Amino acid sequence: MTETDVLIIGSGPAACSAALYTTRAGFKTIMLGGKNFGGQLVQTSEVENYAGFIDPVNGFELMDKMHKQCKRLGAEILQKTATSVKKEGNKMLTELEGGEVISSYAVLAATGATARWLGVEGENKFKNHGLSACATCDGFFYKGKTVAIIGGGNTAFEDALFLTNFCQKVYLIHRRAGFRADEITIKKAQSNPKIEFVIPAVTTKLLGDDKVTGIELQNPETKEIKTLEVQGVFVAIGSIPQTKFLQDSGVKLTETGHVAVDSKHRTNIEGLFAAGDCQDAVYRQAIVAAGSGAKAAIEIINYINQIK
Ligand code: NAP
């Protein structure tokens, strides 16, 4: 069995920021890179909203720098995946694929989330070519364009309003007439002249050759099919937190499947903390994940100092 002070499960911004703090506090820290090494950022071409970079930074490059920084400070990064976590005495035992077990005083779950996609024709082809799941990240690239946002929750509505800052027109497309978003946000969107509601409408296809030029929709009631000309499509239909490895741990999850934490990033299991998108249904930004990783690490340091 491998022994460490802190085991960080994940290798995105939350995981890396946490490792900077725990290593600098003198704790032996192991990070598990997992299958999605570097998290969602490595698939992002340009990051313009992470403080400290005058020009946009490539997502892969940003994560590469974070990993090198963690290693310089002494963190060990293993390209391995956790399959389960359990508490035994004052230690956490984490099992990895292949059966290896790592024992630690604290575990930080920083496994992130993946955007929920529609699963329609054209989706894989157009990711980063007119199709995005992050209006905050990519909206700026659609200055003066017509775009569609898909979803009926707070994210879709807030994104639609945000996109009106750049775009000449924003279609808000939702599969049914009722929305999950808050009433006040719905009203704001309804009174914004740049937003046109297309409801009820199910997205059936994304159109275009090398980038998005349109979207095909079907009215689920009348079955009528229509197309809209758009240069960008933003999908805002929720995210899928990566928490499968915690399913037998006894950890509490929220209604949306995110790890439930208190303001100190503690879960209901002493010694198990969570940070980043696996516990955040709302903000889902790299900079927020990094901040939450740092916060969780400070709490982990306090916790280990108390129990050691
Ligand atoms: P959400 O509230 O779960 O809404 C997801 C929306 O996507 C729903 O309208 C759902 O439709 C639709 N949807 C789901 N799967 C779909 C599919 N396969 N095809 C088409 N549409 C689909 O997700 P969210 O908007 O990302 O919000 C997540 C959480 O964060 C919520 O609790 C939300 O309130 C919160 N949030 C809060 C704020 C804020 O307070 N400022 C901002 C953003 C998010 P149906 O309604 O038909 O199921």
Side-chain angles (χ1 to χ4, degrees):
M1 186 175 344
T2 308
E3 300 266 350
T4 187
D5 293 319
V6 183
L7 178 68
I8 298 175
I9 307 177
S11 52
C16 291
S17 301
L20 302 183
Y21 281 78
T22 55
T23 50
R24 294 186 78 253
F27 290 136
K28 183 177 177 201
T29 302
I30 296 179
M31 292 167 71
L32 295 181
K35 293 203 170 72
N36 208 354
F37 191 68
Q40 294 176 82
L41 262 196
V42 294
Q43 281 144 29
T44 310
S45 44
E46 295 211 321
V47 182
E48 204 169 28
N49 53 6
Y50 199 93
F53 295 88
I54 297 161
D55 297 315
V57 57
N58 176 280
F60 180 85
E61 191 188 324
L62 178 58
M63 287 321 306
D64 188 49
K65 284 190 164 128
M66 285 194 208
H67 294 146
K68 286 181 175 146
Q69 189 182 11
C70 292
K71 283 187 190 160
R72 181 179 70 75
L73 288 163
E76 189 182 350
I77 306 181
L78 305 177
Q79 296 257 12
K80 293 183 177 173
T81 303
T83 53
S84 71
V85 176
K86 70 173 179 194
K87 174 110 185 160
E88 214 168 86
N90 70 347
K91 290 290 187 81
M92 302 298 302
L93 300 183
T94 302
E95 190 168 334
L96 314 188
E97 254 176 30
E100 186 186 342
V101 174
I102 299 182
S103 164
S104 58
Y105 288 107
V107 165
L108 176 66
T111 40
T114 54
R116 179 173 284 126
W117 294 97
L118 295 159
V120 298
E121 195 182 319
E123 206 167 42
N124 288 335
K125 179 169 136 188
F126 293 125
K127 278 178 195 163
N128 288 329
H129 300 282
L131 175 66
S132 166
C134 182
T136 315
C137 319
D138 300 328
F140 184 71
F141 303 119
Y142 293 85
K143 233 178 188 165
K145 308 261 197 264
T146 296
V147 300
I149 177 116
I150 298 159
N154 275 317
T155 304
F157 275 77
E158 288 190 4
D159 285 358
L161 287 161
F162 175 74
L163 288 166
T164 60
N165 294 326
F166 320 100
C167 304
Q168 62 148 348
K169 187 178 184 79
V170 178
Y171 291 109
L172 193 144
I173 296 163
H174 183 39
R175 61 185 177 184
R176 62 189 178 95
F179 302 114
R180 284 177 198 268
D182 301 335
E183 207 47 47
I184 187 163
T185 317
I186 296 173
K187 288 216 167 90
K188 260 193 220 163
Q190 282 169 336
S191 60
N192 189 310
K194 283 189 176 179
I195 299 178
E196 183 177 328
F197 285 76
V198 187
I199 48 167
V202 172
T203 306
T204 43
K205 211 187 273 183
L206 302 180
L207 309 169
D209 290 326
D210 51 350
K211 54 185 186 198
V212 172
T213 55
I215 187 165
E216 184 191 271
L217 305 169
Q218 182 173 45
N219 182 316
E221 289 155 14
T222 62
K223 305 292 173 210
E224 185 198 338
I225 300 235
K226 71 171 176 181
T227 59
L228 295 175
E229 268 182 39
V230 293
Q231 290 89 53
V233 173
F234 292 87
V235 177
I237 61 170
S239 60
I240 305 169
Q242 305 299 294
T243 57
K244 199 166 167 238
F245 69 102
L246 291 172
Q247 66 190 4
D248 298 323
S249 67
V251 77
K252 276 193 191 141
L253 302 179
T254 65
E255 261 179 26
T256 51
H258 293 79
V259 184
V261 291
D262 65 9
S263 60
K264 294 185 171 180
H265 291 271
R266 297 179 296 200
T267 69
N268 60 309
I269 296 169
E270 215 182 59
L272 177 60
F273 297 73
D277 286 8
C278 72
Q279 54 86 116
D280 173 17
V282 178
Y283 299 103
R284 291 180 277 167
Q285 299 300 301
I287 195 89
V288 179
S292 79
K295 254 173 87 187
I298 291 167
E299 295 304 334
I300 286 172
I301 293 163
N302 292 339
Y303 169 73
I304 298 179
N305 282 334
Q306 271 168 26
I307 63 161
K308 235 182 173 181

mmCIF file of all heavy atoms in Angstrom, residues 116-118 150-156 158 174-176 178-180 182 236-239 256 281-282 284, ligand 1:
data_model
loop_
_atom_site.group_PDB
_atom_site.id
_atom_site.type_symbol
_atom_site.label_atom_id
_atom_site.label_comp_id
_atom_site.label_asym_id
_atom_site.label_seq_id
_atom_site.Cartn_x
_atom_site.Cartn_y
_atom_site.Cartn_z
ATOM 1 N N ARG A 116 -22.929 18.422 -20.493
ATOM 2 C CA ARG A 116 -23.915 17.505 -21.078
ATOM 3 C C ARG A 116 -24.161 17.975 -22.508
ATOM 4 O O ARG A 116 -24.419 19.152 -22.746
ATOM 5 C CB ARG A 116 -25.210 17.536 -20.261
ATOM 6 C CG ARG A 116 -26.274 16.629 -20.843
ATOM 7 C CD ARG A 116 -27.499 16.516 -19.963
ATOM 8 N NE ARG A 116 -27.250 15.661 -18.821
ATOM 9 C CZ ARG A 116 -27.460 16.011 -17.561
ATOM 10 N NH1 ARG A 116 -27.905 17.215 -17.283
ATOM 11 N NH2 ARG A 116 -27.220 15.188 -16.576
ATOM 12 N N TRP A 117 -24.025 17.061 -23.442
ATOM 13 C CA TRP A 117 -24.240 17.404 -24.853
ATOM 14 C C TRP A 117 -25.560 16.814 -25.326
ATOM 15 O O TRP A 117 -26.132 15.944 -24.662
ATOM 16 C CB TRP A 117 -23.071 16.901 -25.711
ATOM 17 C CG TRP A 117 -21.778 17.604 -25.386
ATOM 18 C CD1 TRP A 117 -20.797 17.157 -24.553
ATOM 19 C CD2 TRP A 117 -21.334 18.879 -25.872
ATOM 20 N NE1 TRP A 117 -19.772 18.074 -24.489
ATOM 21 C CE2 TRP A 117 -20.068 19.135 -25.289
ATOM 22 C CE3 TRP A 117 -21.874 19.824 -26.735
ATOM 23 C CZ2 TRP A 117 -19.345 20.303 -25.549
ATOM 24 C CZ3 TRP A 117 -21.158 20.986 -26.996
ATOM 25 C CH2 TRP A 117 -19.909 21.217 -26.405
ATOM 26 N N LEU A 118 -26.011 17.267 -26.479
ATOM 27 C CA LEU A 118 -27.316 16.854 -26.982
ATOM 28 C C LEU A 118 -27.314 15.456 -27.592
ATOM 29 O O LEU A 118 -28.316 14.767 -27.592
ATOM 30 C CB LEU A 118 -27.776 17.839 -28.073
ATOM 31 C CG LEU A 118 -28.043 19.262 -27.595
ATOM 32 C CD1 LEU A 118 -27.987 20.221 -28.770
ATOM 33 C CD2 LEU A 118 -29.390 19.328 -26.907
ATOM 34 N N ILE A 150 -29.121 26.659 -26.275
ATOM 35 C CA ILE A 150 -30.087 25.574 -26.048
ATOM 36 C C ILE A 150 -30.158 25.254 -24.560
ATOM 37 O O ILE A 150 -29.130 25.011 -23.920
ATOM 38 C CB ILE A 150 -29.689 24.331 -26.867
ATOM 39 C CG1 ILE A 150 -29.716 24.690 -28.351
ATOM 40 C CG2 ILE A 150 -30.631 23.159 -26.594
ATOM 41 C CD1 ILE A 150 -28.918 23.787 -29.208
ATOM 42 N N GLY A 151 -31.376 25.257 -24.029
ATOM 43 C CA GLY A 151 -31.581 24.928 -22.614
ATOM 44 C C GLY A 151 -32.653 25.822 -22.014
ATOM 45 O O GLY A 151 -33.008 26.853 -22.599
ATOM 46 N N GLY A 152 -33.148 25.415 -20.852
ATOM 47 C CA GLY A 152 -34.215 26.201 -20.222
ATOM 48 C C GLY A 152 -33.955 26.474 -18.756
ATOM 49 O O GLY A 152 -34.849 26.867 -18.020
ATOM 50 N N GLY A 153 -32.696 26.285 -18.328
ATOM 51 C CA GLY A 153 -32.330 26.528 -16.932
ATOM 52 C C GLY A 153 -31.682 27.896 -16.755
ATOM 53 O O GLY A 153 -31.574 28.673 -17.709
ATOM 54 N N ASN A 154 -31.242 28.168 -15.544
ATOM 55 C CA ASN A 154 -30.602 29.463 -15.263
ATOM 56 C C ASN A 154 -29.378 29.701 -16.137
ATOM 57 O O ASN A 154 -29.123 30.822 -16.577
ATOM 58 C CB ASN A 154 -30.191 29.533 -13.796
ATOM 59 C CG ASN A 154 -31.335 30.001 -12.935
ATOM 60 O OD1 ASN A 154 -32.050 30.929 -13.294
ATOM 61 N ND2 ASN A 154 -31.520 29.361 -11.799
ATOM 62 N N THR A 155 -28.614 28.640 -16.389
ATOM 63 C CA THR A 155 -27.404 28.822 -17.198
ATOM 64 C C THR A 155 -27.780 29.297 -18.599
ATOM 65 O O THR A 155 -27.201 30.264 -19.112
ATOM 66 C CB THR A 155 -26.600 27.499 -17.272
ATOM 67 O OG1 THR A 155 -26.323 27.075 -15.948
ATOM 68 C CG2 THR A 155 -25.318 27.670 -18.042
ATOM 69 N N ALA A 156 -28.769 28.649 -19.217
ATOM 70 C CA ALA A 156 -29.164 29.029 -20.581
ATOM 71 C C ALA A 156 -29.639 30.482 -20.617
ATOM 72 O O ALA A 156 -29.256 31.256 -21.509
ATOM 73 C CB ALA A 156 -30.259 28.093 -21.084
ATOM 74 N N GLU A 158 -29.020 32.957 -18.380
ATOM 75 C CA GLU A 158 -27.939 33.913 -18.078
ATOM 76 C C GLU A 158 -26.969 34.001 -19.251
ATOM 77 O O GLU A 158 -26.467 35.074 -19.575
ATOM 78 C CB GLU A 158 -27.218 33.511 -16.797
ATOM 79 C CG GLU A 158 -28.098 33.783 -15.596
ATOM 80 C CD GLU A 158 -27.380 33.635 -14.270
ATOM 81 O OE1 GLU A 158 -26.160 33.387 -14.252
ATOM 82 O OE2 GLU A 158 -28.056 33.773 -13.238
ATOM 83 N N HIS A 174 -35.635 25.854 -26.501
ATOM 84 C CA HIS A 174 -35.889 24.931 -25.383
ATOM 85 C C HIS A 174 -36.926 23.898 -25.817
ATOM 86 O O HIS A 174 -37.863 24.221 -26.546
ATOM 87 C CB HIS A 174 -36.372 25.734 -24.168
ATOM 88 C CG HIS A 174 -36.589 24.889 -22.959
ATOM 89 N ND1 HIS A 174 -35.763 23.844 -22.615
ATOM 90 C CD2 HIS A 174 -37.567 24.924 -22.002
ATOM 91 C CE1 HIS A 174 -36.201 23.287 -21.508
ATOM 92 N NE2 HIS A 174 -37.299 23.925 -21.112
ATOM 93 N N ARG A 175 -36.768 22.684 -25.284
ATOM 94 C CA ARG A 175 -37.587 21.566 -25.767
ATOM 95 C C ARG A 175 -39.039 21.600 -25.294
ATOM 96 O O ARG A 175 -39.866 20.833 -25.787
ATOM 97 C CB ARG A 175 -36.945 20.251 -25.369
ATOM 98 C CG ARG A 175 -36.801 20.036 -23.861
ATOM 99 C CD ARG A 175 -36.036 18.757 -23.582
ATOM 100 N NE ARG A 175 -35.809 18.550 -22.160
ATOM 101 C CZ ARG A 175 -35.101 17.546 -21.673
ATOM 102 N NH1 ARG A 175 -34.529 16.689 -22.497
ATOM 103 N NH2 ARG A 175 -34.933 17.400 -20.382
ATOM 104 N N ARG A 176 -39.335 22.435 -24.312
ATOM 105 C CA ARG A 176 -40.733 22.531 -23.857
ATOM 106 C C ARG A 176 -41.055 23.991 -23.509
ATOM 107 O O ARG A 176 -40.152 24.841 -23.487
ATOM 108 C CB ARG A 176 -40.989 21.608 -22.675
ATOM 109 C CG ARG A 176 -40.177 21.934 -21.448
ATOM 110 C CD ARG A 176 -40.301 20.868 -20.380
ATOM 111 N NE ARG A 176 -39.449 21.220 -19.253
ATOM 112 C CZ ARG A 176 -39.842 21.874 -18.178
ATOM 113 N NH1 ARG A 176 -41.100 22.280 -18.074
ATOM 114 N NH2 ARG A 176 -39.012 22.160 -17.209
ATOM 115 N N GLY A 178 -42.247 25.269 -20.620
ATOM 116 C CA GLY A 178 -41.897 25.694 -19.263
ATOM 117 C C GLY A 178 -40.387 25.745 -19.074
ATOM 118 O O GLY A 178 -39.648 25.024 -19.751
ATOM 119 N N PHE A 179 -39.960 26.627 -18.179
ATOM 120 C CA PHE A 179 -38.508 26.772 -17.936
ATOM 121 C C PHE A 179 -38.173 26.433 -16.492
ATOM 122 O O PHE A 179 -39.015 26.553 -15.601
ATOM 123 C CB PHE A 179 -38.086 28.216 -18.217
ATOM 124 C CG PHE A 179 -38.383 28.680 -19.608
ATOM 125 C CD1 PHE A 179 -39.324 29.682 -19.823
ATOM 126 C CD2 PHE A 179 -37.726 28.116 -20.695
ATOM 127 C CE1 PHE A 179 -39.600 30.114 -21.113
ATOM 128 C CE2 PHE A 179 -38.002 28.548 -21.978
ATOM 129 C CZ PHE A 179 -38.941 29.547 -22.186
ATOM 130 N N ARG A 180 -36.910 26.076 -16.262
ATOM 131 C CA ARG A 180 -36.425 25.861 -14.897
ATOM 132 C C ARG A 180 -35.793 27.131 -14.320
ATOM 133 O O ARG A 180 -35.578 27.221 -13.122
ATOM 134 C CB ARG A 180 -35.329 24.785 -14.898
ATOM 135 C CG ARG A 180 -35.857 23.402 -15.055
ATOM 136 C CD ARG A 180 -34.692 22.417 -15.111
ATOM 137 N NE ARG A 180 -35.156 21.184 -15.685
ATOM 138 C CZ ARG A 180 -35.627 20.166 -14.977
ATOM 139 N NH1 ARG A 180 -35.637 20.235 -13.666
ATOM 140 N NH2 ARG A 180 -36.063 19.077 -15.567
ATOM 141 N N ASP A 182 -34.999 30.954 -12.999
ATOM 142 C CA ASP A 182 -35.748 31.800 -12.065
ATOM 143 C C ASP A 182 -36.615 32.801 -12.834
ATOM 144 O O ASP A 182 -36.195 33.314 -13.877
ATOM 145 C CB ASP A 182 -34.780 32.605 -11.169
ATOM 146 C CG ASP A 182 -33.877 31.691 -10.378
ATOM 147 O OD1 ASP A 182 -34.277 30.539 -10.136
ATOM 148 O OD2 ASP A 182 -32.764 32.128 -10.022
ATOM 149 N N ALA A 236 -26.452 24.565 -23.210
ATOM 150 C CA ALA A 236 -26.466 24.840 -21.761
ATOM 151 C C ALA A 236 -27.530 23.962 -21.117
ATOM 152 O O ALA A 236 -28.531 24.445 -20.588
ATOM 153 C CB ALA A 236 -26.742 26.319 -21.511
ATOM 154 N N ILE A 237 -27.311 22.654 -21.216
ATOM 155 C CA ILE A 237 -28.328 21.715 -20.706
ATOM 156 C C ILE A 237 -27.810 20.949 -19.482
ATOM 157 O O ILE A 237 -28.182 19.822 -19.225
ATOM 158 C CB ILE A 237 -28.810 20.759 -21.825
ATOM 159 C CG1 ILE A 237 -27.661 19.925 -22.379
ATOM 160 C CG2 ILE A 237 -29.492 21.537 -22.936
ATOM 161 C CD1 ILE A 237 -28.110 18.790 -23.307
ATOM 162 N N GLY A 238 -26.923 21.593 -18.735
ATOM 163 C CA GLY A 238 -26.430 20.991 -17.497
ATOM 164 C C GLY A 238 -25.068 20.337 -17.678
ATOM 165 O O GLY A 238 -24.548 20.245 -18.796
ATOM 166 N N SER A 239 -24.510 19.895 -16.574
ATOM 167 C CA SER A 239 -23.192 19.241 -16.642
ATOM 168 C C SER A 239 -23.266 17.917 -15.875
ATOM 169 O O SER A 239 -24.172 17.697 -15.081
ATOM 170 C CB SER A 239 -22.123 20.141 -16.024
ATOM 171 O OG SER A 239 -22.437 20.402 -14.675
ATOM 172 N N THR A 256 -28.289 17.552 -8.159
ATOM 173 C CA THR A 256 -27.721 17.543 -9.507
ATOM 174 C C THR A 256 -26.572 16.542 -9.634
ATOM 175 O O THR A 256 -25.937 16.462 -10.684
ATOM 176 C CB THR A 256 -27.207 18.961 -9.878
ATOM 177 O OG1 THR A 256 -26.349 19.420 -8.810
ATOM 178 C CG2 THR A 256 -28.329 19.945 -10.078
ATOM 179 N N ALA A 281 -22.154 23.393 -9.337
ATOM 180 C CA ALA A 281 -23.092 23.321 -10.462
ATOM 181 C C ALA A 281 -23.274 24.672 -11.115
ATOM 182 O O ALA A 281 -23.871 24.776 -12.175
ATOM 183 C CB ALA A 281 -24.440 22.822 -9.962
ATOM 184 N N VAL A 282 -22.785 25.717 -10.481
ATOM 185 C CA VAL A 282 -23.160 27.066 -10.909
ATOM 186 C C VAL A 282 -22.082 27.783 -11.721
ATOM 187 O O VAL A 282 -22.311 28.181 -12.856
ATOM 188 C CB VAL A 282 -23.558 27.924 -9.686
ATOM 189 C CG1 VAL A 282 -23.905 29.343 -10.091
ATOM 190 C CG2 VAL A 282 -24.733 27.292 -8.964
ATOM 191 N N ARG A 284 -18.615 26.980 -12.666
ATOM 192 C CA ARG A 284 -17.953 26.160 -13.682
ATOM 193 C C ARG A 284 -16.889 26.908 -14.496
ATOM 194 O O ARG A 284 -16.853 26.840 -15.718
ATOM 195 C CB ARG A 284 -19.010 25.548 -14.600
ATOM 196 C CG ARG A 284 -19.841 24.515 -13.884
ATOM 197 C CD ARG A 284 -20.877 23.913 -14.748
ATOM 198 N NE ARG A 284 -22.058 24.723 -14.811
ATOM 199 C CZ ARG A 284 -23.032 24.570 -15.679
ATOM 200 N NH1 ARG A 284 -22.953 23.656 -16.594
ATOM 201 N NH2 ARG A 284 -24.077 25.344 -15.659
HETATM 202 P P1 NAP B 1 -30.537 22.814 -15.183
HETATM 203 O O1 NAP B 1 -31.164 23.756 -14.233
HETATM 204 O O2 NAP B 1 -30.483 21.364 -14.847
HETATM 205 O O3 NAP B 1 -31.274 22.998 -16.582
HETATM 206 C C1 NAP B 1 -30.941 22.209 -17.664
HETATM 207 C C2 NAP B 1 -31.887 22.539 -18.797
HETATM 208 O O4 NAP B 1 -31.472 21.786 -19.921
HETATM 209 C C3 NAP B 1 -33.343 22.166 -18.488
HETATM 210 O O5 NAP B 1 -34.188 23.184 -18.943
HETATM 211 C C4 NAP B 1 -33.553 20.888 -19.282
HETATM 212 O O6 NAP B 1 -34.836 20.763 -19.854
HETATM 213 C C5 NAP B 1 -32.590 21.062 -20.431
HETATM 214 N N1 NAP B 1 -32.105 19.771 -20.908
HETATM 215 C C6 NAP B 1 -31.551 18.778 -20.187
HETATM 216 N N2 NAP B 1 -31.212 17.752 -20.990
HETATM 217 C C7 NAP B 1 -31.583 18.112 -22.236
HETATM 218 C C8 NAP B 1 -31.493 17.482 -23.500
HETATM 219 N N3 NAP B 1 -30.937 16.270 -23.646
HETATM 220 N N4 NAP B 1 -31.961 18.140 -24.578
HETATM 221 C C9 NAP B 1 -32.494 19.381 -24.447
HETATM 222 N N5 NAP B 1 -32.612 20.039 -23.285
HETATM 223 C C10 NAP B 1 -32.154 19.409 -22.186
HETATM 224 O O7 NAP B 1 -29.006 23.197 -15.511
HETATM 225 P P2 NAP B 1 -28.274 24.622 -15.434
HETATM 226 O O8 NAP B 1 -29.077 25.663 -16.101
HETATM 227 O O9 NAP B 1 -26.889 24.373 -15.916
HETATM 228 O O10 NAP B 1 -28.199 24.916 -13.889
HETATM 229 C C11 NAP B 1 -27.570 23.995 -12.985
HETATM 230 C C12 NAP B 1 -27.793 24.487 -11.550
HETATM 231 O O11 NAP B 1 -27.068 25.696 -11.338
HETATM 232 C C13 NAP B 1 -29.253 24.794 -11.265
HETATM 233 O O12 NAP B 1 -29.511 24.474 -9.933
HETATM 234 C C14 NAP B 1 -29.324 26.282 -11.473
HETATM 235 O O13 NAP B 1 -30.371 26.918 -10.772
HETATM 236 C C15 NAP B 1 -27.967 26.717 -10.968
HETATM 237 N N6 NAP B 1 -27.549 27.986 -11.568
HETATM 238 C C16 NAP B 1 -27.779 29.102 -10.841
HETATM 239 C C17 NAP B 1 -27.380 30.320 -11.333
HETATM 240 C C18 NAP B 1 -27.631 31.526 -10.509
HETATM 241 O O14 NAP B 1 -28.220 31.395 -9.435
HETATM 242 N N7 NAP B 1 -27.196 32.699 -10.926
HETATM 243 C C19 NAP B 1 -26.794 30.413 -12.605
HETATM 244 C C20 NAP B 1 -26.599 29.253 -13.342
HETATM 245 C C21 NAP B 1 -26.995 28.034 -12.802
HETATM 246 P P3 NAP B 1 -36.116 20.371 -18.974
HETATM 247 O O15 NAP B 1 -36.389 21.583 -18.157
HETATM 248 O O16 NAP B 1 -37.136 20.063 -19.998
HETATM 249 O O17 NAP B 1 -35.704 19.180 -18.165
#
